Amino acid sequence: CWDGKRHVLIGGMRNYYGEVDHADPLAPHCVAIPREAYADEEGFLCTRPLPEVTAIYNKIILDLANKPEPEIAPLLRSWLPEGETTPSWKYEGTQLVNADAHINEYSHCSFDVPRDYMLKMQVYLEHKAAFAIGFREQKDDKRSGYKLVINRRTNEVEINSPSDAYPRSVNLKADKPITVQAFVTGSILECWVNGAHAFSLRDYDFP
């Protein structure tokens, strides 16, 4: 709809029988995050969440500027004595940096967060690097949760669950940081990359 200043889109996300991720779809739908449709500088159609929605999340729970201690899954090194590890994440100023990026290895760190929240962050990726943000991960189940994967090498972003993946081509400009805004609320997971590209899933299985 047109509200006199912008094109506002209000749509639905499918419900599923039994409230599990992969059941048959069920009507009616639930309401997705309201968004504004706009054309970017190259004329492509994009969307972004309405500022009225973002304004609801006015309490900061976790801020990397305060250097909260992450839970780190360190990598085992073949050249170290058995069982010894090296740290893989560290703070440089207010940035949390993967110290293993230069050797092309995967490492993982996590923070405890509320059940429902909004995430806003910037990601700096080297050429050919990839980065994943996990949501609804369970400590006792390594395959749990949902991920937003940003791949600089393939210029793709995908949102996925343990059984499904939905990739899209996105122009990830090499000279700019990548912004991510995510809404994790109830059984809805919606993410925006660079304030333009939306990725959505229902997240019944891992509340």
Side-chain angles (χ1 to χ4, degrees):
C1 63
W2 174 252
D3 70 354
K5 297 180 180 179
R6 59 198 172 170
H7 295 281
V8 176
L9 304 180
I10 300 176
M13 296 178 67
R14 288 183 297 180
N15 293 321
Y16 293 91
Y17 281 103
E19 295 190 350
V20 294
D21 286 349
H22 305 294
D24 293 330
L26 170 69
H29 296 354
C30 70
V31 177
I33 300 294
R35 60 204 72 195
E36 176 190 357
Y38 71 98
D40 68 9
E41 58 189 18
E42 297 177 355
F44 291 103
L45 180 63
C46 303
T47 69
R48 56 192 169 208
L50 297 182
E52 295 93 328
V53 175
T54 299
I56 295 172
Y57 297 85
N58 55 13
K59 182 180 179 181
I60 298 175
I61 302 297
L62 184 74
D63 188 345
L64 294 189
N66 298 325
K67 298 184 179 180
E69 192 68 27
E71 182 176 327
I72 297 175
L75 296 172
L76 295 173
R77 305 297 192 195
S78 59
W79 61 84
L80 291 174
E82 183 176 355
E84 288 192 19
T85 64
T86 58
S88 52
W89 293 85
K90 62 180 181 179
Y91 282 101
E92 293 183 0
T94 59
Q95 297 180 357
L96 185 59
V97 178
N98 178 8
D100 291 311
H102 66 289
I103 56 175
N104 244 359
E105 294 197 39
Y106 294 99
S107 57
H108 179 276
C109 74
S110 61
F111 296 93
D112 287 329
V113 295
R115 183 178 185 275
D116 298 328
Y117 60 93
M118 180 187 70
L119 167 71
K120 294 182 75 173
M121 65 186 301
Q122 285 189 328
V123 182
Y124 297 83
L125 288 180
E126 296 180 353
H127 182 57
K128 295 185 178 181
F131 179 79
I133 306 168
F135 304 94
R136 301 286 200 220
E137 293 183 342
Q138 315 292 307
K139 289 185 178 181
D140 56 351
D141 184 355
K142 293 181 179 179
R143 281 182 48 82
S144 66
Y146 309 86
K147 289 182 174 60
L148 183 76
V149 183
I150 302 169
N151 193 319
R152 177 81 78 180
R153 180 180 61 83
T154 61
N155 250 10
E156 282 188 340
V157 178
E158 80 170 38
I159 194 167
N160 66 43
S161 69
S163 58
D164 292 308
Y166 304 95
R168 282 174 53 194
S169 295
V170 174
N171 184 14
L172 302 172
K173 297 181 179 179
D175 59 337
K176 293 184 178 181
I178 300 163
T179 64
V180 176
Q181 184 174 11
F183 297 86
V184 186
T185 174
S187 62
I188 292 176
L189 168 59
E190 294 207 75
C191 305
W192 272 267
V193 174
N194 289 340
H197 311 283
F199 297 81
S200 305
L201 272 182
R202 297 304 299 269
D203 57 1
Y204 287 121
D205 285 1
F206 305 104

